[in-house]
Amino acid sequence: MALVPRKKKRKDPALSLDGDAPVGVVKFSEVGIFLVERKMGSSRRSFLTELARKKGFRVEEQMSESVTHVVSENNTGHEVLELLEKQTGICTTEFTAALVDITWFTESMGAGKPLELENRHLLQVKRAAARTNVVPIAPYACQRRTTLDNKNRLLTDALEILAENAELSANEGRYLAFTRASSVLKSLPYNVTKMDDLREVPNLGDHSRKVIKEILEDGTCSEAQNLIQSERFQTLKQFASIFGVGVKTADKWFREGLRTLDELRSSKVKLTKEQEAGLLYYEDLIKPVTKAEADLIRQIVEATVHRFLSAAVVTLTGGFRRGKEYGHDVDILITHQEEGKEEGLIFQVISSLTAQDIILYDDIIDNSYHEWKSKETEKFDHFAKCLSIFKLQKEMVNNIEPSRSCRKDSSAENEPRRSGLGSHAGTIQLITAAAAKEKNWKAVRVDLVVAPYGQYAYALLGWTGSRLFERDLRRYAKHFKHMSLNSHSLFDNKQSKFLPAATEEEIFAHLGLDYIPPQERNA
Ligand code: CTP
Ligand code: MN
Ligand code: MN
């Protein structure tokens, strides 16, 4: 058996190093390669790794989220799947990377760039024989239609508790696995009653399947039940539900021995301005925002925006645009057809709202699009925006709010958003104290975003969500189209050009995806 790279192959022009990038410079960051050692051998794998890196490819040592191409030699799709499952402990239906044959790799090396995937490059994975009444379900959330009519709430509630716990424990992989599992169940047009109903359903790892099985058999998931009862989960959840507090901070406070908001309030912990506001208005901010409140806030913002730019467009985005009746905040996107007119608008709007006594807290972030260098690694967008807390007069809401019949939505009005914490003595006491004050206004979190007209469709798509839908859109673009999508633009890496779009429909068309309206993006 050859211990060194196969000599003959080395002479293959595809595998020569002519015209290579300086070592370490990644030219094609949108592609992440994982080389399967099985049958390839470790020395050949090292050789190919080095070769690809010299040519500007990104090669990962471990299987991860950022891997887009799993390359193997002389293995079947089934063998590769089994191997990955063993190595990572995560069921491979969680990975959406393509399983490709070495031919894709060598041809790409020859071309000096990652080649578009063709059928002949893909390893075949045998699936259970399809039953006539089962339609295969697409693995990316952006390929599926997910309405608010969730037929599997019992299952998704449990999976979401596990996802939330993983997120609170900063375990991104598990967070994604449970979130994907929950999301795919939300997209099913039927109620799952037996494991066999899930035969053709992707994105369900072993752990998620175990949870589902337990619920189908016993009606409850012991792991989720234990979490809800656990002090750590309850505390982290409550701390992280404070505006301005992330999971790292929540965990730090927990490790420092803090357990309740009262303890936090009376502790010497140094709080940021955001966190101070978050704590001050906590009892209001955990109450769900109603659609009527969101509509009213949009109108207030619009009236103020129009003082400065009468033709500006002010749109409700986020969950409310997806048809939700309740949300944790109000997301508003502002633009003006004459590009450039919107510059500086956020400052004018916030100072006017402040003068009207509507702003309790604001953090204005100016547009930084032009200072922005690395397109790939950035998580957030670069629009001018304001993360704020509005002081909403209850009387104004009552005037416009008809008595609504409660729709089937996630949470009921006035019930704290992150529920399951009501048993904390401290919390109850504070809610009562706040209620006793009988103030005539409610604090509401509002995100205001200003987008230049040329980026508006991308901003609208990016701010409509859901989080997983956005994540999968970007992964889909990267993986299948060699395109980079964010809330500003879509860049075609093959043609090296930006693809303009005036509407969301055009963006879906650029991506070769069926158009999914906002109401069906509740992934
Ligand atoms: N978003 C973003 N950048 C941020 C925050 C949010 O692009 N800094 C996007 C998210 O991708 C999400 C959308 O804005 O799709 C709305 O975010 P958020 O308000 O957190 O969630 P909603 O879906 O509106 O849910 P909720 O009802 O809880 O507010
Ligand atoms: Mn929102
Ligand atoms: Mn928001």
Side-chain angles (χ1 to χ4, degrees):
M1 204 169 66
L3 284 175
V4 285
R6 289 169 199 171
K7 290 273 163 31
K8 260 189 214 154
K9 283 264 167 82
R10 215 179 185 309
K11 290 217 181 78
D12 182 338
L15 302 186
S16 97
L17 295 176
D18 296 344
D20 297 323
V23 179
V25 176
V26 175
K27 287 205 284 185
F28 318 106
S29 54
E30 72 281 2
V31 168
I33 297 175
F34 175 73
L35 291 161
V36 175
E37 193 169 302
R38 183 172 188 271
K39 294 201 180 157
M40 184 183 285
S42 67
S43 48
R44 180 163 161 79
R45 180 175 185 245
S46 309
F47 165 72
L48 294 177
T49 299
E50 198 190 336
L51 174 83
R53 285 181 180 161
K54 280 187 179 149
K55 288 185 178 283
F57 287 78
R58 180 164 63 82
V59 184
E60 302 294 337
E61 294 294 341
Q62 309 279 337
M63 187 59 200
S64 74
E65 250 275 301
S66 74
V67 169
T68 56
H69 294 66
V70 176
V71 177
S72 69
E73 197 167 25
N74 300 325
N75 284 283
T76 66
H78 181 73
E79 285 167 335
V80 174
L81 279 182
E82 218 173 48
L83 205 81
L84 290 179
E85 203 164 311
K86 244 186 238 157
Q87 277 179 6
T88 60
I90 302 174
C91 178
T92 44
T93 46
E94 314 291 351
F95 300 127
T96 31
L99 304 185
V100 304
D101 183 65
I102 191 78
T103 50
W104 172 83
F105 182 90
T106 47
E107 286 169 23
S108 295
M109 294 304 123
K113 61 176 188 205
L115 292 181
E116 183 109 359
L117 285 176
E118 291 172 31
N119 253 341
R120 63 191 176 83
H121 294 133
L122 296 169
L123 298 188
Q124 298 302 312
V125 183
K126 268 197 220 114
R127 306 181 119 243
R131 290 172 301 165
T132 44
N133 61 340
V134 180
V135 188
I137 291 138
Y140 286 72
C142 57
Q143 299 170 300
R144 303 190 295 253
R145 296 176 188 272
T146 314
T147 66
L148 290 167
D149 182 20
N150 177 359
K151 300 260 194 305
N152 295 289
R153 194 170 299 281
L154 198 60
L155 303 177
T156 59
D157 279 353
L159 290 166
E160 275 172 16
I161 289 168
L162 302 188
E164 189 173 17
N165 181 55
E167 191 181 22
L168 289 168
S169 310
N171 189 333
E172 173 94 351
R174 271 169 80 98
Y175 162 74
L176 270 174
F178 290 129
T179 302
R180 291 223 164 93
S182 164
S183 172
V184 78
L185 296 180
K186 283 184 190 169
S187 78
L188 298 180
Y190 54 90
N191 173 235
V192 173
T193 55
K194 52 190 184 309
M195 288 312 280
D196 196 46
D197 293 344
L198 297 171
R199 241 206 288 171
E200 293 291 302
V201 179
N203 299 353
L204 297 176
D206 286 348
H207 197 149
S208 296
R209 284 184 180 272
K210 203 187 84 194
V211 168
I212 295 167
K213 189 162 181 281
E214 189 186 346
I215 297 173
L216 293 180
E217 283 166 5
D218 309 339
T220 161
C221 163
S222 52
E223 192 178 354
Q225 286 307 317
N226 290 339
L227 278 173
I228 297 174
Q229 307 290 322
S230 96
E231 186 184 41
R232 182 186 137 84
F233 180 74
Q234 286 183 7
T235 310
L236 290 183
K237 185 172 156 128
Q238 186 176 43
F239 285 167
S241 73
I242 303 168
F243 174 52
V245 179
V247 298
K248 278 196 190 126
T249 306
D251 184 64
K252 183 167 159 272
W253 290 344
F254 182 78
R255 281 186 285 109
E256 286 169 4
L258 296 170
R259 293 293 179 270
T260 66
L261 293 186
D262 270 353
E263 285 172 19
L264 180 62
R265 283 176 169 124
S266 57
S267 77
K268 293 213 163 59
V269 163
K270 180 107 186 68
L271 299 173
T272 63
K273 283 266 169 300
E274 206 178 14
Q275 293 163 353
E276 264 174 31
L279 260 186
L280 189 58
Y281 304 114
Y282 184 80
E283 286 68 30
D284 271 0
L285 297 183
I286 52 162
K287 280 182 204 147
V289 182
T290 66
K291 177 69 165 55
E293 289 168 341
D295 285 335
L296 178 60
I297 286 172
R298 195 205 63 82
Q299 284 171 30
I300 291 170
V301 170
E302 186 179 61
T304 303
V305 166
H306 283 176
R307 289 186 186 182
F308 303 100
L309 277 181
S310 60
V313 179
V314 178
T315 311
L316 208 50
T317 61
F320 289 112
R321 184 160 182 258
R322 302 197 307 274
K324 281 174 63 174
E325 285 289 314
Y326 300 96
H328 97 280
D329 69 352
V330 182
D331 305 287
I332 292 174
L333 184 61
I334 304 165
T335 194
H336 189 281
Q337 208 158 17
E338 272 173 73
E339 192 153 331
K341 290 256 186 193
E342 80 291 343
E343 278 171 33
L345 182 65
I346 194 78
F347 296 98
Q348 295 173 308
V349 168
I350 295 301
S351 63
S352 172
L353 289 169
T354 307
Q356 297 169 59
D357 193 27
I358 290 173
I359 301 293
L360 292 168
Y361 169 87
D362 70 84
D363 178 13
I364 303 181
I365 303 156
D366 201 3
N367 180 312
S368 58
Y369 190 57
H370 296 291
E371 294 102 77
W372 177 26
K373 300 208 177 63
S374 126
K375 263 176 264 148
E376 273 303 321
T377 53
E378 294 281 333
K379 225 177 172 170
F380 298 114
D381 64 56
H382 293 253
F383 293 120
K385 62 171 80 67
C386 183
L387 312 182
S388 67
I389 300 176
F390 273 40
K391 179 176 179 179
L392 188 65
Q393 297 300 326
K394 285 179 183 165
E395 187 188 82
M396 289 177 80
V397 186
N398 293 339
N399 286 344
I400 61 155
E401 191 166 22
S403 59
R404 341 180 122 249
S405 55
C406 206
R407 271 239 313 239
K408 248 199 281 172
D409 196 0
S410 51
S411 43
E413 192 177 357
N414 292 329
E415 176 195 317
R417 184 173 62 98
R418 292 175 182 258
S419 54
L421 299 166
S423 58
H424 268 260
T427 316
I428 288 171
Q429 213 181 332
L430 281 161
I431 288 169
T432 318
K437 269 195 221 152
E438 279 295 342
K439 56 184 178 45
N440 59 358
W441 51 269
K442 177 185 177 186
V444 178
R445 271 273 300 117
V446 179
D447 287 337
L448 296 176
V449 184
V450 180
Y453 197 67
Q455 299 169 25
Y456 179 66
Y458 287 102
L460 185 62
L461 179 61
W463 275 84
T464 297
S466 66
R467 252 165 95 185
L468 187 72
F469 192 89
E470 300 297 332
R471 190 177 186 122
D472 276 8
L473 266 177
R474 289 166 199 211
R475 279 183 344 129
Y476 184 89
K478 190 160 147 181
H479 183 170
F480 284 105
K481 294 282 160 182
H482 294 289
M483 291 179 187
S484 312
L485 173 69
N486 57 42
S487 294
H488 298 276
S489 61
L490 180 62
F491 186 77
D492 185 331
N493 293 295
K494 282 180 306 191
Q495 303 184 61
S496 277
K497 67 170 195 186
F498 287 101
L499 305 177
T503 61
E504 288 181 318
E505 282 87 343
E506 286 175 40
I507 305 173
F508 281 85
H510 284 320
L511 293 170
L513 286 168
D514 284 347
Y515 176 68
I516 311 275
Q519 300 76 13
E520 294 177 341
R521 296 181 204 159
N522 286 289

